[in-house]
Amino acid sequence: MSRTPAPSSRVVVIGAGIVGCSLADELTARGWTEVTVLEQGPLPAPGGSTSHAPGLVFQTGPSKTLTEFAAYTVRKFGALEVDGLPCFHQVGGLEIATTEARWAELHRKAGLAASWGVRGELIGPQQCKELWPMLDETALYGGFHTPDDGLARAVLACRAQIARAERRGARFLERHTVTGIEREGGRVTGVTTDRGTFPADHVVSAAGFWGPVIGAMAGVDVPLLPLAHQYATTEPLPELAGANDPRSEASKPILRFQDRDLYFREHHDRLGIGSYAHRPMPVDPFTVAAFDEAPVMPSSLPFTAEDFAPSWQDSIGLLPALGASRVADGFNGVFSFTPDGMPVLGESRELRGFWLAEAAWVTHSAGVARAVAEWMTDGRPAIDIHECDLYRFEDAQRSPAYIADRGAQNFIEVYDVLHPLQPMEEPRPLRTSPFYPRQQELGAYFLEAGGWERPHWYEANAALTEGLRLPERDAWSARYWSPIAAAEAKATRERVALYDMTPLRRLEVTGPGALAFLQRMTSNNLAKKPGAVTYTLLLDETGGIRSDLTVARLAPDRFQIGANSGADLDWLLRHAPDGGGPSRSSEAESGGVQVRDITSGTCCIGVWGPLARDLVQPLTRDDFSHQAFGYFRARQTYLGHVPVTAMRLSYVGELGWELYTTADLGLRLWDTLWEAGREHGVIAAGRSAFNSLRLEKGYRSWGHDMTAEHNPYEAGVGFAVRPAKGDFLGRAALEGRSEEAASRRLTCLTLDDPAAVVLGKEPVFVDGTPAGYVTSAAYGYTLGRGIAYAWLPAGVAVPGTAVHIEYFGEKIPATVRQEPLFDPQMERIRR
């Protein structure tokens, strides 16, 4: 399905902050000229976050998507000026470390910069002092300098983009307060304001921290929390007198003192200080004062000096010259946080034509606007934005209480050193599988994802580590890890283990049109007899991998799908005839397809290992032999008293089944398998062992190893594409492509040193130059060395090629390997 409307489509953008102005510029540059931007305040500084933003643009972070957004913001604003004034000052950025932990983190940050293509270097205390003479260099371990970062003048950038968009036909209307969103037949039709109604085919909410207010008018949840953030300005400082060109305000890099949750930037001869060190200060967007009623502006709340006092002392400790000065001005500025710290982008499925471009800071504003404009005009963004998708959040993550808790915690942690596996602590537990009581009894160590409690290992298996010889880990890779994972992997390879697969999303597609619909939506051939299971892909119009699925045909008109996220459900519902909802009354005319999420009402146990058949067969009258129940087959049966759907699948490379039942019978299923498995030495095993085993087998993880930016042949899953079956979404875009013709490939690496470990997102160097980045990594306990998958140029992705992976500044030798590393003949699975 193409969502690309005619160029004459009428667009109303709500909000003329930096995102709204950037979006109008991007849309009109693509030929959509009927664009109206409505703003409740005066232009060009209407009183939202843009009007007070300090304008810091740091490009580097753990998210490749956010880094690309920021990099585009730098490029775009760097080319804009107003009245001879630049909209971006490329003064650079300097993050300093005053603790060993932060210094190690800056080494990791330098690696991320190399992975994502951002210039940066680690420097010593004296070099930091040269860049920032006011620093007390004796307090420093060093710093990370990024010369291409800098300061965005957000209001000026708005003016420049308003002018360009207006020349192309857009109009910007100030003092228009939105009072309602008009709709008809599930589509948006217009926007009502206190000064009239504006018809629209598309409405984009770019209202910043007012996003939930606009969303409520449209009946669309906008999961963000406005929070106040302290910003203070000093008196004039003798050390800055005459240091800066009046046109540019600043010449020194943006300084970030993250060990104390502080940042600093120049304002001519004064210093601006931003603090995240204070208590969270949530703001109700429904009660924010209007522009004319606010003492300064709606987004600028009174400064609370008592909250800033500790930060002022920390500032003096780093910059001793401030001891002779004082805070001259300050305010508490409001901006947006989401439960996971990412923007919220995309079109509502419930109200077609209503789009969100929310929770984007100035740092990422132009990049976000470009992605949304591409999405609207071309049907998809040019880069992967699954981390920002509106439908990534589960229903349990959309409650006001959850948004408040997680939003506030994201504020607290904005400058913290966060491990990639580190979960938030509250609210937990939120979602638990039916097996949770038994997992607790076994001493499960839980991490959290998607609201689910997910065991990573079990303390009950600690005794199994006796005699295992494992290399020592550094403190970073040892966090959220246990040698028990190695014992669980070994037990899976040698005996049998139970894995809780409940958090994986399950969808059901039914109806007389189900097969035709899924054939059109996926890349592999699903026209097989009931009982077949097929690995397949969801592709977009360009052939990019939106997701990978396992599809079991349980009956002629009933399919069960193993999916990755709520965005998969959204994608299928958008493309299903008449929306795919079970309440639709025109199924016969529309092709008779229903799509529904069955995850919460079901559960799943993976039973894997060479003794899996010995465990399962005595529990059923059905024949579970290889001849009677082959690989990638499914059947509905009973195990003891429990009705199950059994699928002969294995994500760990061992004989076994995924066993599904209803949630009410889940605990009985666990107990049945556990009791039957005692004589076979059954254990419960966690995600840590699971990840190691799946990488030994070369199984991809969507969202990590491959995304919509990659096609199947690059990602090594071209076997799941069957052009001969007929037309399907993405087929035309793949014509002429092949694995042989791919210019880049997802590549298997092993670390040369058996004691070395990497975790993911590290840069891969070829001949001393960054050439790619690691997607997934784990220690291969069966192989006795570390494994990493990485995106590399095809010319490098040749078995035997020597490369280096940078881990905390150390270049670790690695070698390209033929995959899969374990059981390439599939003998262990097919027996």
Side-chain angles (χ1 to χ4, degrees):
M1 179 188 75
S2 173
R3 284 199 295 265
T4 307
S8 60
S9 290
R10 298 162 299 178
V11 180
V12 173
V13 178
I14 300 173
I18 190 63
V19 174
C21 291
S22 296
L23 179 58
D25 182 48
E26 295 288 338
L27 286 172
T28 56
R30 288 164 173 78
W32 284 29
T33 56
E34 292 189 67
V35 176
T36 299
V37 182
L38 302 175
E39 176 50 60
Q40 63 182 343
L43 293 174
S49 304
T50 298
S51 303
H52 71 248
L56 281 65
V57 180
F58 275 87
Q59 298 173 79
T60 307
S63 168
K64 179 174 179 283
T65 299
L66 289 188
T67 296
E68 290 181 334
F69 284 165
Y72 182 71
T73 300
V74 167
R75 294 196 301 274
K76 183 175 187 180
F77 292 175
L80 296 177
E81 63 175 41
V82 175
D83 299 332
L85 296 174
C87 294
F88 184 78
H89 299 306
Q90 205 158 46
V91 295
L94 177 62
E95 299 176 58
I96 52 97
T98 59
T99 63
E100 287 187 19
R102 182 67 61 179
W103 185 226
E105 168 72 358
L106 293 187
H107 281 76
R108 188 169 76 99
K109 183 71 72 70
L112 290 169
S115 290
W116 312 146
V118 177
R119 287 202 304 156
E121 65 172 337
L122 293 163
I123 60 176
Q126 189 55 46
Q127 290 171 287
C128 294
K129 176 80 169 179
E130 291 168 6
L131 290 170
W132 258 89
M134 292 172 63
L135 278 171
D136 175 11
E137 76 276 20
T138 65
L140 306 183
Y141 283 81
F144 178 53
H145 180 224
T146 47
D148 299 327
D149 291 339
L151 297 166
R153 284 177 156 174
V155 173
L156 274 187
C158 284
R159 286 180 57 191
Q161 293 177 104
I162 288 171
R164 292 205 311 196
E166 285 180 333
R167 287 195 294 270
R168 301 183 191 119
R171 57 178 178 167
F172 290 75
L173 303 178
E174 62 181 4
R175 301 288 188 174
H176 282 65
T177 299
V178 173
T179 57
I181 306 296
E182 297 194 335
R183 70 198 83 179
E184 183 178 338
R187 280 204 63 90
V188 71
T189 59
V191 177
T192 303
T193 75
D194 58 351
R195 298 176 65 177
T197 298
F198 297 83
D201 304 301
H202 293 268
V203 173
V204 185
S205 177
F209 62 79
W210 283 286
V213 178
I214 301 301
M217 296 179 191
V220 175
D221 289 335
V222 182
L224 67 81
L225 175 71
L227 286 150
H229 159 59
Q230 291 203 300
Y231 194 79
T233 309
T234 69
E235 293 180 320
L237 300 171
E239 292 80 4
L240 298 182
N244 297 310
D245 185 328
R247 287 166 22 97
S248 64
E249 295 187 57
S251 58
K252 296 176 183 60
I254 309 161
L255 179 63
R256 289 207 287 186
F257 182 19
Q258 292 168 302
D259 288 322
R260 291 293 183 270
D261 296 310
L262 293 168
Y263 64 82
F264 306 85
R265 59 151 294 181
E266 296 169 291
H267 292 279
H268 301 300
D269 60 351
R270 301 170 185 257
L271 206 57
I273 307 171
S275 172
Y276 294 98
H278 55 83
R279 61 191 169 89
M281 303 177 187
V283 174
D284 183 352
F286 292 87
T287 62
V288 174
F291 187 91
D292 293 324
E293 298 169 359
V296 180
M297 64 177 77
S299 63
S300 181
L301 304 182
F303 190 63
T304 50
E306 65 278 10
D307 289 304
F308 192 75
S311 291
W312 178 245
Q313 293 305 312
D314 287 335
S315 299
I316 294 172
L318 182 71
L319 307 170
L322 294 181
S325 184
R326 66 179 183 88
V327 173
D329 250 326
F331 65 96
N332 292 355
V334 183
F335 63 145
S336 303
F337 282 79
T338 60
D340 60 3
M342 300 294 288
V344 180
L345 312 179
E347 182 190 17
S348 167
R349 186 178 68 253
E350 295 78 13
L351 182 59
R352 299 296 179 91
F354 183 80
W355 295 77
L356 296 180
E358 296 292 8
W361 298 359
V362 171
T363 306
H364 311 113
S365 55
V368 162
R370 179 179 67 166
V372 174
E374 290 169 340
W375 208 341
M376 295 175 70
T377 60
D378 301 333
R380 71 183 292 274
I383 67 171
D384 169 58
I385 54 89
H386 80 273
E387 294 174 307
C388 310
D389 193 287
L390 165 62
Y391 289 94
R392 71 188 184 272
F393 293 113
E394 306 290 337
D395 288 344
Q397 297 173 300
R398 291 179 172 274
S399 71
Y402 185 94
I403 293 166
D405 288 346
R406 289 293 173 100
Q409 190 63 26
N410 269 309
F411 178 90
I412 293 169
E413 294 178 350
V414 72
Y415 275 176
D416 286 1
V417 177
L418 299 176
H419 193 277
L421 292 176
Q422 183 171 334
M424 287 199 176
E425 295 305 319
E426 296 293 339
R428 290 181 62 192
L430 182 62
R431 306 177 79 189
T432 60
S433 80
F435 324 128
Y436 186 66
R438 299 295 183 263
Q439 293 166 343
Q440 288 179 302
E441 292 168 5
L442 293 169
Y445 184 89
F446 293 99
L447 297 180
E448 180 264 353
W452 287 100
E453 295 297 319
R454 305 174 76 159
H456 274 242
W457 64 82
Y458 293 85
E459 290 296 329
N461 298 323
L464 300 178
T465 62
E466 187 175 344
L468 290 182
R469 303 187 64 179
L470 296 171
E472 288 191 17
R473 289 201 169 207
D474 64 277
W476 186 252
S477 65
R479 290 183 68 185
Y480 306 107
W481 174 85
S482 168
I484 296 172
E488 293 177 356
K490 186 173 186 290
T492 306
R493 292 278 189 240
E494 295 179 354
R495 299 194 305 276
V496 62
L498 306 185
Y499 288 82
D500 182 0
M501 305 302 289
T502 303
L504 299 183
R505 183 174 294 271
R506 290 169 293 285
L507 310 177
E508 185 180 71
V509 180
T510 58
L515 175 60
F517 169 62
L518 290 175
Q519 284 284 75
R520 178 168 59 88
M521 292 303 301
T522 68
S523 63
N524 212 333
N525 186 13
L526 306 182
K528 302 171 183 176
K529 293 179 181 180
V533 182
T534 306
Y535 176 81
T536 188
L537 308 172
L538 285 181
L539 305 177
D540 63 23
E541 292 87 345
T542 70
I545 304 171
R546 282 193 57 94
S547 188
D548 64 342
L549 312 174
T550 53
V551 180
R553 191 175 192 183
L554 302 179
D557 58 356
R558 178 174 165 235
F559 296 81
Q560 181 173 310
I561 297 175
N564 285 296
S565 74
D568 295 346
L569 174 64
D570 175 58
W571 183 253
L572 292 174
L573 287 173
R574 287 180 188 276
H575 289 80
D578 201 32
S583 63
R584 303 290 182 178
S585 60
S586 57
E587 286 185 5
E589 296 79 14
S590 67
V593 178
Q594 293 184 5
V595 182
R596 66 189 186 103
D597 190 332
I598 61 172
T599 308
S600 61
T602 57
C603 58
C604 178
I605 299 176
V607 182
W608 292 312
L611 301 183
R613 184 175 288 116
D614 298 297
L615 189 160
V616 174
Q617 182 62 81
L619 298 173
T620 179
R621 295 180 179 180
D622 288 323
D623 188 351
F624 270 53
S625 69
H626 180 63
Q627 293 74 22
F629 196 158
Y631 191 53
F632 265 80
R633 298 293 298 173
R635 72 170 47 159
Q636 292 173 297
T637 184
Y638 290 87
L639 296 183
H641 298 92
V642 182
V644 300
T645 299
M647 297 187 194
R648 179 91 184 272
L649 304 174
S650 175
Y651 205 54
V652 299
E654 293 292 338
L655 170 69
W657 289 265
E658 293 180 359
L659 303 174
Y660 299 87
T661 192
T662 52
D664 59 320
L665 290 168
L667 198 58
R668 183 61 176 261
L669 176 61
W670 179 282
D671 289 345
T672 299
L673 294 168
W674 189 259
E675 185 60 32
R678 285 181 182 275
E679 64 179 289
H680 304 295
V682 71
I683 67 160
R687 297 289 301 182
S688 188
F690 177 91
N691 195 49
S692 170
L693 296 170
R694 71 102 179 164
L695 283 177
E696 289 181 338
K697 195 62 183 160
Y699 292 146
R700 277 60 170 148
S701 172
W702 186 85
H704 295 93
D705 301 317
M706 56 190 186
T707 69
E709 291 185 3
H710 311 111
N711 73 53
Y713 304 111
E714 297 171 326
V717 290
F719 63 86
V721 179
R722 293 288 186 269
K725 76 167 184 174
D727 194 28
F728 56 86
L729 189 61
R731 180 180 185 273
L734 294 181
E735 289 183 5
R737 300 189 188 186
S738 66
E739 187 173 341
E740 294 73 25
S743 61
R744 59 180 177 176
R745 289 180 187 159
L746 184 62
T747 307
C748 178
L749 308 173
T750 58
L751 308 187
D752 295 354
D753 180 357
V757 174
V758 298
L759 298 183
K761 300 188 177 181
E762 296 90 354
V764 180
F765 288 76
V766 178
D767 296 329
T769 302
Y773 60 91
V774 173
T775 58
S776 292
Y779 195 83
Y781 301 112
T782 314
L783 303 174
R785 65 180 62 247
I787 305 167
Y789 272 75
W791 280 102
L792 291 174
V796 176
V798 178
T801 302
V803 300
H804 288 84
I805 302 174
E806 183 177 286
Y807 180 73
F808 287 93
E810 179 186 356
K811 299 292 197 306
I812 298 175
T815 303
V816 175
R817 298 297 183 190
Q818 186 71 43
E819 59 173 334
L821 298 168
F822 178 79
D823 188 25
Q825 303 305 316
M826 301 284 284
E827 295 172 350
R828 297 176 70 91
I829 292 177
R830 294 188 172 119
R831 61 181 176 181

